Amino acid sequence: MITSDVGPEELTSYLSRSGWTRTRAGTLAELWQPGDDMQVSVLVPRVLEAADFDRTVNILAAEVARREQRPPEDVLRDIARQFLDVTELRAEDDDIGQGTISLQSGLGLVSAAKDLMVSAAAATIHRQGYYGTSIPKAAHAHARRLRLGQTRPGSYILPVISSARFGATPLYDDGVPRLEVQSEDTYFDRRVLATLSRSLETLAEMTMNRDRVPSRDEMRDSVTEGVSSELCAAVLEVIDTGKVGIFDVAFNWAPASPAPADLRERIYFSREHADLVTEVRKELKESEAPSETVLYGVIRRMSLKANEESGRVYLETVIEGRRRTVAFDLDLVTYRRAAQYHGERRRVVVTGTLDAPPGRPATMEVRTFGVDRSIMTLDQSDE
Protein backbone atom coordinates (compact mmCIF):
# COMPACT_ATOMS: atom_id res chain seq x y z
CA MET A 1 0.00 0.00 0.00
CA ILE A 2 1.09 3.61 -0.59
CA THR A 3 1.24 5.70 2.59
CA SER A 4 3.47 8.59 1.44
CA ASP A 5 0.53 11.04 1.47
CA VAL A 6 -0.72 9.99 4.91
CA GLY A 7 0.33 11.76 8.11
CA PRO A 8 -0.93 11.85 11.70
CA GLU A 9 -3.39 14.68 10.95
CA GLU A 10 -4.95 12.76 8.07
CA LEU A 11 -5.30 9.65 10.23
CA THR A 12 -7.00 11.36 13.17
CA SER A 13 -9.23 13.44 10.88
CA TYR A 14 -10.50 10.37 9.05
CA LEU A 15 -11.08 8.35 12.20
CA SER A 16 -12.95 11.13 14.01
CA ARG A 17 -15.18 11.67 10.97
CA SER A 18 -15.84 7.94 10.80
CA GLY A 19 -17.10 7.68 14.38
CA TRP A 20 -13.89 6.59 16.10
CA THR A 21 -12.81 8.07 19.45
CA ARG A 22 -9.37 8.68 20.95
CA THR A 23 -9.16 6.72 24.21
CA ARG A 24 -5.46 7.02 25.05
CA ALA A 25 -2.76 9.42 23.89
CA GLY A 26 1.00 9.16 24.20
CA THR A 27 4.03 10.89 22.77
CA LEU A 28 4.59 8.32 20.02
CA ALA A 29 1.09 6.96 19.37
CA GLU A 30 -2.60 7.12 20.24
CA LEU A 31 -5.23 4.45 20.77
CA TRP A 32 -8.56 4.90 18.96
CA GLN A 33 -11.74 2.83 19.21
CA PRO A 34 -15.01 2.81 17.26
CA GLY A 35 -17.90 4.28 19.20
CA ASP A 36 -20.07 1.18 18.77
CA ASP A 37 -17.47 -1.47 19.71
CA MET A 38 -15.07 -0.84 22.56
CA GLN A 39 -13.52 -4.29 22.09
CA VAL A 40 -11.78 -3.11 18.91
CA SER A 41 -8.89 -0.62 18.81
CA VAL A 42 -6.29 0.71 16.40
CA LEU A 43 -2.89 2.26 17.06
CA VAL A 44 -2.41 5.68 15.44
CA PRO A 45 1.27 6.66 15.06
CA ARG A 46 2.11 10.30 15.82
CA VAL A 47 5.72 10.49 14.59
CA LEU A 48 5.91 10.59 10.81
CA GLU A 49 9.67 9.94 10.85
CA ALA A 50 9.37 6.76 12.89
CA ALA A 51 10.77 3.65 11.17
CA ASP A 52 7.54 1.69 11.67
CA PHE A 53 5.17 4.51 10.65
CA ASP A 54 4.15 3.02 7.29
CA ARG A 55 3.72 -0.48 8.74
CA THR A 56 1.51 0.83 11.55
CA VAL A 57 -0.60 2.81 9.07
CA ASN A 58 -1.10 -0.28 6.93
CA ILE A 59 -2.25 -2.27 9.96
CA LEU A 60 -4.66 0.54 10.86
CA ALA A 61 -6.03 0.71 7.31
CA ALA A 62 -6.55 -3.05 7.22
CA GLU A 63 -8.56 -2.99 10.47
CA VAL A 64 -10.68 -0.02 9.37
CA ALA A 65 -11.25 -1.68 5.97
CA ARG A 66 -12.40 -4.87 7.69
CA ARG A 67 -14.99 -2.92 9.68
CA GLU A 68 -16.11 -0.91 6.65
CA GLN A 69 -16.09 -4.01 4.40
CA ARG A 70 -14.08 -2.45 1.59
CA PRO A 71 -10.51 -2.72 0.27
CA PRO A 72 -7.69 -1.28 2.43
CA GLU A 73 -6.45 0.64 -0.64
CA ASP A 74 -9.72 2.59 -0.72
CA VAL A 75 -9.43 3.41 2.98
CA LEU A 76 -5.88 4.67 2.50
CA ARG A 77 -6.97 6.80 -0.45
CA ASP A 78 -9.73 8.41 1.61
CA ILE A 79 -7.38 9.01 4.52
CA ALA A 80 -4.83 10.65 2.23
CA ARG A 81 -7.34 13.11 0.73
CA GLN A 82 -8.56 14.59 4.03
CA PHE A 83 -6.86 17.91 3.17
CA LEU A 84 -6.95 17.60 -0.62
CA ASP A 85 -9.47 18.96 -3.12
CA VAL A 86 -9.97 16.62 -6.08
CA THR A 87 -11.31 18.07 -9.32
CA GLU A 88 -12.47 15.35 -11.71
CA LEU A 89 -12.47 15.94 -15.45
CA ARG A 90 -14.70 13.36 -17.12
CA ALA A 91 -14.96 12.56 -20.83
CA GLU A 92 -17.96 10.57 -22.06
CA ASP A 93 -18.40 9.28 -25.60
CA ASP A 94 -19.58 6.18 -27.42
CA ASP A 95 -16.03 5.01 -28.13
CA ILE A 96 -14.85 5.34 -24.51
CA GLY A 97 -14.97 2.08 -22.59
CA GLN A 98 -13.04 -0.37 -20.45
CA GLY A 99 -10.82 2.38 -19.09
CA THR A 100 -9.48 3.45 -22.48
CA ILE A 101 -9.84 6.56 -24.60
CA SER A 102 -8.61 7.53 -28.06
CA LEU A 103 -5.19 9.16 -28.13
CA GLN A 104 -6.59 12.39 -29.56
CA SER A 105 -9.31 12.63 -26.92
CA GLY A 106 -6.92 11.70 -24.13
CA LEU A 107 -4.41 14.34 -25.12
CA GLY A 108 -7.18 16.92 -25.27
CA LEU A 109 -8.35 16.00 -21.77
CA VAL A 110 -4.86 16.25 -20.26
CA SER A 111 -4.17 19.52 -22.06
CA ALA A 112 -7.52 20.91 -20.90
CA ALA A 113 -6.70 20.01 -17.29
CA LYS A 114 -3.60 22.21 -17.37
CA ASP A 115 -5.20 25.05 -19.32
CA LEU A 116 -8.32 25.15 -17.14
CA MET A 117 -6.21 25.47 -14.00
CA VAL A 118 -3.92 28.11 -15.47
CA SER A 119 -6.84 30.22 -16.75
CA ALA A 120 -8.67 29.93 -13.42
CA ALA A 121 -5.52 30.88 -11.50
CA ALA A 122 -5.03 33.89 -13.77
CA ALA A 123 -8.65 34.97 -13.18
CA THR A 124 -8.13 34.61 -9.43
CA ILE A 125 -5.48 37.34 -9.70
CA HIS A 126 -6.81 39.50 -12.55
CA ARG A 127 -10.09 39.38 -14.46
CA GLN A 128 -9.35 39.64 -18.17
CA GLY A 129 -11.21 38.55 -21.30
CA TYR A 130 -8.03 37.52 -23.10
CA TYR A 131 -4.63 37.05 -21.50
CA GLY A 132 -2.43 36.07 -24.41
CA THR A 133 1.15 36.38 -23.16
CA SER A 134 0.12 38.33 -20.03
CA ILE A 135 -0.90 35.36 -17.88
CA PRO A 136 0.58 36.01 -14.40
CA LYS A 137 3.62 33.92 -13.51
CA ALA A 138 1.82 32.86 -10.32
CA ALA A 139 -0.84 31.13 -12.46
CA HIS A 140 1.77 28.93 -14.15
CA ALA A 141 3.46 28.32 -10.78
CA HIS A 142 0.14 27.15 -9.38
CA ALA A 143 -0.30 24.63 -12.19
CA ARG A 144 3.17 23.22 -11.51
CA ARG A 145 2.15 22.47 -7.91
CA LEU A 146 -0.88 20.40 -8.88
CA ARG A 147 -0.87 16.61 -9.10
CA LEU A 148 -2.72 14.22 -11.40
CA GLY A 149 -4.31 11.17 -9.86
CA GLN A 150 -4.69 7.83 -11.60
CA THR A 151 -7.35 7.77 -14.29
CA ARG A 152 -10.48 6.01 -13.13
CA PRO A 153 -13.19 4.05 -14.97
CA GLY A 154 -16.66 5.46 -15.39
CA SER A 155 -16.41 6.97 -18.83
CA TYR A 156 -12.88 8.37 -18.50
CA ILE A 157 -12.03 10.38 -15.39
CA LEU A 158 -8.87 12.39 -14.81
CA PRO A 159 -8.45 13.62 -11.18
CA VAL A 160 -6.54 16.85 -10.51
CA ILE A 161 -5.35 17.16 -6.90
CA SER A 162 -4.70 20.40 -5.03
CA SER A 163 -4.04 21.38 -1.42
CA ALA A 164 -6.81 22.40 0.98
CA ARG A 165 -4.76 22.76 4.16
CA PHE A 166 -5.36 26.29 5.42
CA GLY A 167 -3.39 28.42 7.83
CA ALA A 168 -4.99 29.88 10.96
CA THR A 169 -6.19 33.48 11.12
CA PRO A 170 -4.67 35.32 14.12
CA LEU A 171 -6.43 38.18 15.92
CA TYR A 172 -5.47 41.68 16.91
CA ASP A 173 -5.51 42.54 20.63
CA ASP A 174 -9.04 43.91 20.22
CA GLY A 175 -10.24 40.60 18.74
CA VAL A 176 -10.45 41.83 15.16
CA PRO A 177 -9.13 39.26 12.63
CA ARG A 178 -5.63 39.93 11.30
CA LEU A 179 -4.63 38.59 7.89
CA GLU A 180 -1.15 37.14 7.61
CA VAL A 181 0.57 36.84 4.24
CA GLN A 182 1.76 33.28 4.81
CA SER A 183 -1.66 32.16 6.01
CA GLU A 184 -3.46 33.85 3.12
CA ASP A 185 -1.18 32.11 0.63
CA THR A 186 -2.59 28.76 1.77
CA TYR A 187 -6.00 29.76 0.39
CA PHE A 188 -4.84 30.34 -3.17
CA ASP A 189 -5.36 26.78 -4.44
CA ARG A 190 -8.92 26.68 -3.05
CA ARG A 191 -9.68 30.14 -4.45
CA VAL A 192 -8.57 28.97 -7.88
CA LEU A 193 -11.06 26.10 -7.74
CA ALA A 194 -13.84 28.43 -6.58
CA THR A 195 -13.04 30.69 -9.54
CA LEU A 196 -12.97 27.71 -11.88
CA SER A 197 -16.34 26.44 -10.64
CA ARG A 198 -18.07 29.79 -11.01
CA SER A 199 -16.50 30.57 -14.40
CA LEU A 200 -17.43 27.17 -15.84
CA GLU A 201 -20.95 27.51 -14.47
CA THR A 202 -21.26 30.94 -16.10
CA LEU A 203 -19.90 29.63 -19.42
CA ALA A 204 -22.30 26.66 -19.34
CA GLU A 205 -25.26 28.94 -18.65
CA MET A 206 -24.38 30.99 -21.73
CA THR A 207 -23.71 28.08 -24.08
CA MET A 208 -25.15 24.77 -22.90
CA ASN A 209 -28.52 25.81 -21.53
CA ARG A 210 -29.75 27.75 -24.56
CA ASP A 211 -29.92 27.46 -28.33
CA ARG A 212 -28.96 31.02 -29.20
CA VAL A 213 -25.70 32.90 -29.19
CA PRO A 214 -25.36 35.00 -26.02
CA SER A 215 -25.35 38.74 -26.51
CA ARG A 216 -22.10 40.68 -26.67
CA ASP A 217 -22.87 42.28 -23.29
CA GLU A 218 -23.48 38.85 -21.71
CA MET A 219 -20.18 37.55 -23.02
CA ARG A 220 -18.23 40.56 -21.85
CA ASP A 221 -19.96 40.63 -18.46
CA SER A 222 -18.98 36.98 -17.94
CA VAL A 223 -15.38 38.13 -17.49
CA THR A 224 -16.33 39.36 -14.01
CA GLU A 225 -17.04 35.72 -13.11
CA GLY A 226 -13.67 34.52 -14.39
CA VAL A 227 -14.61 33.51 -17.95
CA SER A 228 -11.84 34.16 -20.47
CA SER A 229 -10.90 33.24 -24.01
CA GLU A 230 -8.36 30.81 -22.55
CA LEU A 231 -11.02 29.09 -20.42
CA CYS A 232 -13.21 28.62 -23.51
CA ALA A 233 -10.24 27.23 -25.44
CA ALA A 234 -9.60 24.66 -22.70
CA VAL A 235 -13.20 23.39 -22.89
CA LEU A 236 -12.97 23.25 -26.68
CA GLU A 237 -9.84 21.10 -26.45
CA VAL A 238 -12.12 18.33 -25.20
CA ILE A 239 -15.47 18.77 -26.97
CA ASP A 240 -14.15 20.17 -30.27
CA THR A 241 -10.52 19.19 -30.89
CA GLY A 242 -10.86 15.98 -28.85
CA LYS A 243 -14.25 15.11 -30.39
CA VAL A 244 -15.70 14.06 -27.02
CA GLY A 245 -19.49 14.03 -26.78
CA ILE A 246 -19.85 15.04 -23.10
CA PHE A 247 -17.28 16.76 -20.90
CA ASP A 248 -17.96 17.55 -17.27
CA VAL A 249 -15.99 18.87 -14.33
CA ALA A 250 -16.82 17.76 -10.78
CA PHE A 251 -15.51 19.32 -7.56
CA ASN A 252 -14.86 17.06 -4.57
CA TRP A 253 -13.93 19.27 -1.62
CA ALA A 254 -11.52 18.04 1.05
CA PRO A 255 -13.47 16.36 3.89
CA ALA A 256 -11.41 18.02 6.65
CA SER A 257 -11.56 21.59 5.30
CA PRO A 258 -14.58 23.96 5.26
CA ALA A 259 -16.32 23.55 1.91
CA PRO A 260 -17.18 26.53 -0.31
CA ALA A 261 -20.73 27.80 -0.39
CA ASP A 262 -23.15 28.23 -3.29
CA LEU A 263 -21.03 26.49 -5.92
CA ARG A 264 -22.13 23.81 -8.36
CA GLU A 265 -20.65 20.38 -7.72
CA ARG A 266 -20.64 19.40 -11.41
CA ILE A 267 -20.77 21.40 -14.68
CA TYR A 268 -21.50 19.83 -18.09
CA PHE A 269 -20.47 20.72 -21.65
CA SER A 270 -21.44 18.93 -24.86
CA ARG A 271 -19.98 18.77 -28.35
CA GLU A 272 -23.41 19.73 -29.67
CA HIS A 273 -22.93 23.28 -28.35
CA ALA A 274 -19.24 23.70 -29.20
CA ASP A 275 -20.06 26.44 -31.72
CA LEU A 276 -21.49 28.65 -28.97
CA VAL A 277 -18.35 28.22 -26.85
CA THR A 278 -16.32 29.15 -29.93
CA GLU A 279 -18.34 32.36 -30.31
CA VAL A 280 -17.67 33.33 -26.70
CA ARG A 281 -13.98 32.59 -27.11
CA LYS A 282 -13.79 34.76 -30.24
CA GLU A 283 -15.64 37.68 -28.67
CA LEU A 284 -13.48 37.70 -25.53
CA LYS A 285 -10.28 37.42 -27.54
CA GLU A 286 -11.23 40.47 -29.57
CA SER A 287 -12.50 42.46 -26.60
CA GLU A 288 -10.30 45.33 -25.47
CA ALA A 289 -11.72 45.64 -21.97
CA PRO A 290 -9.05 46.53 -19.37
CA SER A 291 -7.79 44.04 -16.81
CA GLU A 292 -9.31 44.26 -13.33
CA THR A 293 -7.53 43.35 -10.10
CA VAL A 294 -9.05 40.79 -7.72
CA LEU A 295 -8.55 41.28 -3.98
CA TYR A 296 -9.50 38.91 -1.16
CA GLY A 297 -9.60 39.98 2.43
CA VAL A 298 -11.52 40.95 5.54
CA ILE A 299 -13.30 44.23 6.23
CA ARG A 300 -11.51 46.19 8.94
CA ARG A 301 -13.63 49.33 9.17
CA MET A 302 -16.75 50.89 7.66
CA SER A 303 -17.90 54.49 7.50
CA LEU A 304 -21.30 55.88 6.47
CA LYS A 305 -22.14 59.55 6.81
CA ALA A 306 -25.66 60.93 7.08
CA ASN A 307 -27.43 61.66 3.78
CA GLU A 308 -24.63 60.08 1.73
CA GLU A 309 -25.48 57.77 -1.19
CA SER A 310 -22.45 55.55 -0.61
CA GLY A 311 -20.37 54.25 2.28
CA ARG A 312 -16.64 53.75 2.62
CA VAL A 313 -15.16 50.33 3.34
CA TYR A 314 -11.60 49.56 4.45
CA LEU A 315 -10.43 46.12 3.36
CA GLU A 316 -7.39 44.38 4.82
CA THR A 317 -5.81 42.34 2.04
CA VAL A 318 -2.49 41.19 0.59
CA ILE A 319 -0.92 43.03 -2.35
CA GLU A 320 2.37 41.87 -3.87
CA GLY A 321 3.24 39.85 -0.79
CA ARG A 322 2.45 42.59 1.74
CA ARG A 323 -0.53 43.21 3.97
CA ARG A 324 -2.27 46.47 3.03
CA THR A 325 -5.52 48.28 3.65
CA VAL A 326 -7.52 49.33 0.59
CA ALA A 327 -10.35 51.87 0.79
CA PHE A 328 -13.31 51.92 -1.60
CA ASP A 329 -16.89 53.20 -1.81
CA LEU A 330 -20.01 51.06 -2.16
CA ASP A 331 -23.60 52.05 -2.95
CA LEU A 332 -25.98 51.76 -0.01
CA VAL A 333 -27.45 48.39 -0.99
CA THR A 334 -24.02 46.81 -1.40
CA TYR A 335 -22.78 48.61 1.71
CA ARG A 336 -25.48 46.88 3.77
CA ARG A 337 -24.33 43.51 2.44
CA ALA A 338 -20.77 44.44 3.37
CA ALA A 339 -21.95 45.28 6.90
CA GLN A 340 -23.57 41.85 7.14
CA TYR A 341 -20.39 40.09 6.01
CA HIS A 342 -18.36 42.23 8.42
CA GLY A 343 -20.59 41.18 11.31
CA GLU A 344 -20.36 37.52 10.31
CA ARG A 345 -16.55 37.76 10.02
CA ARG A 346 -16.68 36.52 6.45
CA ARG A 347 -13.96 37.04 3.91
CA VAL A 348 -14.96 39.08 0.88
CA VAL A 349 -13.69 39.47 -2.68
CA VAL A 350 -13.68 42.66 -4.75
CA THR A 351 -12.70 43.33 -8.35
CA GLY A 352 -11.98 46.64 -9.98
CA THR A 353 -9.32 49.20 -10.79
CA LEU A 354 -6.67 49.33 -8.06
CA ASP A 355 -4.50 52.33 -7.24
CA ALA A 356 -1.86 51.22 -4.73
CA PRO A 357 1.21 53.49 -5.00
CA PRO A 358 4.07 52.60 -2.61
CA GLY A 359 4.03 54.61 0.58
CA ARG A 360 0.56 56.08 -0.04
CA PRO A 361 -2.98 54.93 0.84
CA ALA A 362 -4.41 52.35 -1.55
CA THR A 363 -7.83 52.87 -3.12
CA MET A 364 -9.99 50.93 -5.54
CA GLU A 365 -12.80 51.71 -7.93
CA VAL A 366 -14.93 48.64 -7.34
CA ARG A 367 -16.87 46.91 -10.08
CA THR A 368 -18.00 43.80 -8.20
CA PHE A 369 -18.22 42.98 -4.50
CA GLY A 370 -19.24 39.73 -2.85
CA VAL A 371 -18.50 37.06 -0.31
CA ASP A 372 -15.37 34.94 -0.77
CA ARG A 373 -16.80 31.58 -1.87
CA SER A 374 -13.58 29.72 -1.18
CA ILE A 375 -14.43 29.43 2.52
CA MET A 376 -17.39 30.34 4.69
CA THR A 377 -16.24 32.33 7.76
CA LEU A 378 -13.05 33.28 9.55
CA ASP A 379 -14.21 31.20 12.50
CA GLN A 380 -14.42 28.09 10.31
CA SER A 381 -10.90 28.64 9.00
CA ASP A 382 -9.57 28.14 12.51
CA GLU A 383 -11.46 24.91 13.20
Side-chain angles (χ1 to χ4, degrees):
M1 301 180 197
I2 299 175
T3 59
S4 58
D5 294 326
V6 173
E9 284 186 86
E10 284 81 3
L11 291 168
T12 56
S13 173
Y14 180 84
L15 289 174
S16 63
R17 292 172 184 278
S18 301
W20 293 66
T21 304
R22 180 191 294 111
T23 56
R24 293 181 62 184
T27 304
L28 301 179
E30 300 174 348
L31 199 65
W32 285 65
Q33 294 179 310
D36 60 349
D37 187 356
M38 303 306 289
Q39 302 301 314
V40 176
S41 63
V42 294
L43 191 67
V44 179
R46 299 185 62 178
V47 181
L48 185 61
E49 297 78 13
D52 62 345
F53 183 86
D54 287 355
R55 182 173 62 84
T56 306
V57 169
N58 284 333
I59 294 173
L60 180 154
E63 177 58 31
V64 173
R66 185 185 66 79
R67 289 187 54 81
E68 296 182 357
Q69 297 183 345
R70 60 194 188 113
E73 293 81 5
D74 291 352
V75 172
L76 272 178
R77 182 197 62 221
D78 290 345
I79 292 174
R81 69 168 299 259
Q82 289 298 295
F83 298 95
L84 297 174
D85 289 330
V86 181
T87 306
E88 293 184 340
L89 280 64
R90 185 178 71 102
E92 181 180 343
D93 203 83
D94 292 339
D95 70 345
I96 297 176
Q98 298 182 342
T100 68
I101 190 172
S102 72
L103 181 61
Q104 181 180 12
S105 299
L107 290 175
L109 190 63
V110 172
S111 180
K114 175 177 178 288
D115 293 343
L116 283 174
M117 294 302 172
V118 170
S119 66
T124 304
I125 302 169
H126 295 290
R127 296 288 199 263
Q128 202 164 319
Y130 173 63
Y131 293 93
T133 59
S134 64
I135 290 180
K137 293 182 180 179
H140 290 292
H142 166 263
R144 289 193 292 269
R145 290 198 304 270
L146 301 176
R147 308 287 295 179
L148 283 180
Q150 286 187 325
T151 55
R152 294 205 286 271
S155 299
Y156 194 86
I157 299 174
L158 185 67
V160 181
I161 303 167
S162 56
S163 173
R165 191 186 296 272
F166 309 137
T169 300
L171 304 176
Y172 287 102
D173 292 339
D174 60 1
V176 176
R178 173 188 176 94
L179 296 194
E180 294 289 353
V181 174
Q182 186 174 3
S183 178
E184 282 301 292
D185 285 346
T186 64
Y187 284 94
F188 187 74
D189 287 10
R190 169 61 69 79
R191 284 174 173 150
V192 169
L193 292 186
T195 300
L196 179 61
S197 175
R198 183 57 185 154
S199 61
L200 288 176
E201 180 182 349
T202 302
L203 180 60
E205 289 174 351
M206 287 194 297
T207 59
M208 298 296 119
N209 302 330
R210 62 176 71 177
D211 295 322
R212 63 174 178 83
V213 177
S215 69
R216 176 171 293 183
D217 287 343
E218 287 177 309
M219 289 188 276
R220 293 187 175 184
D221 287 346
S222 71
V223 174
T224 64
E225 299 292 353
V227 180
S228 66
S229 177
E230 284 77 7
L231 180 87
C232 297
V235 172
L236 289 170
E237 285 181 279
V238 182
I239 62 174
D240 189 19
T241 306
K243 306 300 181 185
V244 170
I246 298 293
F247 170 53
D248 65 69
V249 181
F251 298 89
N252 302 291
W253 307 110
S257 301
D262 304 323
L263 293 178
R264 291 263 297 274
E265 293 182 358
R266 187 182 297 271
I267 299 103
Y268 291 86
F269 296 91
S270 69
R271 186 169 59 207
E272 178 183 357
H273 295 85
D275 288 346
L276 294 180
V277 179
T278 300
E279 287 295 325
V280 177
R281 176 192 180 188
K282 180 181 178 182
E283 174 61 32
L284 296 184
K285 187 173 183 179
E286 296 175 352
S287 172
E288 297 181 358
S291 170
E292 293 185 328
T293 300
V294 185
L295 296 179
Y296 296 84
V298 59
I299 297 172
R300 288 281 290 142
R301 292 185 291 119
M302 303 184 69
S303 174
L304 179 62
K305 297 180 180 179
N307 301 320
E308 292 288 333
E309 295 183 355
S310 64
R312 175 140 287 209
V313 175
Y314 297 85
L315 179 77
E316 188 171 66
T317 186
V318 175
I319 301 175
E320 295 182 351
R322 294 186 177 184
R323 187 174 64 248
R324 295 194 65 173
T325 298
V326 178
F328 51 84
D329 295 325
L330 296 176
D331 64 77
L332 294 182
V333 173
T334 310
Y335 184 87
R336 293 188 187 98
R337 283 200 292 122
Q340 175 186 343
Y341 299 151
H342 181 42
E344 295 172 348
R345 304 176 71 229
R346 298 184 74 175
R347 283 180 169 85
V348 297
V349 55
V350 293
T351 66
T353 304
L354 176 68
D355 182 18
R360 295 174 55 189
T363 60
M364 189 179 215
E365 184 178 340
V366 173
R367 182 178 180 186
T368 67
F369 171 90
V371 70
D372 179 0
R373 290 185 174 94
S374 61
I375 191 169
M376 286 295 291
T377 69
L378 291 166
D379 292 320
Q380 286 181 307
S381 70
D382 296 332
E383 292 179 354

